[in-house]
Amino acid sequence: MNVSLVYNNKKLIGKCSKFAIEKVQGTSPFVMLENFEPKQPQLNENQQIVVNDVKQDHENYGIPKFSAIHLAFTTYATGYYKDHLKNDEEFYQVLRTLIAWAQEQEEE
């Protein structure tokens, strides 16, 4: 299977199996992607600890996935993860990873 890398403003954002450039009269050309998979951020060790905590809350206590993610957001806002996460961007990467995990679980 051929894979094409997808960039936006020179930044790798994912990959797809097929693409086509479409032109519609009166508009700028646009790109159609098939089987797009967004790039998953590489998490550092502390970010992975937070991700694992949220997954364990779901598995051990039966908390629904999106409720566990919401709880992580609330917990982050209170400063609980300040020893694990340096800044908001690191937390955004954690959130993206958790949302992708929850979506994958729903598809199964």
Side-chain angles (χ1 to χ4, degrees):
M1 175 186 201
N2 290 335
V3 174
S4 296
L5 299 178
V6 179
Y7 290 83
N8 184 18
N9 294 322
K10 298 182 181 181
K11 183 178 177 184
L12 179 65
I13 61 168
K15 61 185 178 180
C16 68
S17 63
K18 187 177 176 182
F19 70 92
I21 299 174
E22 301 286 330
K23 295 181 182 181
V24 176
Q25 187 174 356
T27 67
S28 298
F30 60 94
V31 179
M32 299 286 293
L33 304 174
E34 288 186 22
N35 301 318
F36 177 73
E37 294 179 27
K39 176 186 171 204
Q40 293 296 320
Q42 296 293 357
L43 303 180
N44 64 38
E45 184 177 340
N46 287 330
Q47 288 172 302
Q48 194 60 53
I49 289 170
V50 175
V51 168
N52 291 343
D53 283 349
V54 173
K55 288 180 178 182
Q56 286 177 352
D57 286 347
H58 164 68
E59 293 167 10
N60 295 340
Y61 305 112
I63 299 172
K65 289 178 257 345
F66 284 107
S67 294
I69 293 168
H70 180 265
L71 181 60
F73 185 83
T74 304
T75 304
Y76 175 73
T78 66
Y80 180 79
Y81 290 126
K82 68 180 181 232
D83 292 337
H84 290 90
L85 303 173
K86 291 185 227 168
N87 53 43
D88 290 346
E89 182 57 37
E90 283 194 0
F91 184 64
Y92 299 151
Q93 291 173 339
V94 167
L95 283 178
R96 284 191 287 272
T97 300
L98 289 169
I99 291 168
W101 162 73
Q103 290 173 329
E104 288 169 6
Q105 297 293 312
E106 291 297 318
E107 291 172 2
E108 291 179 356

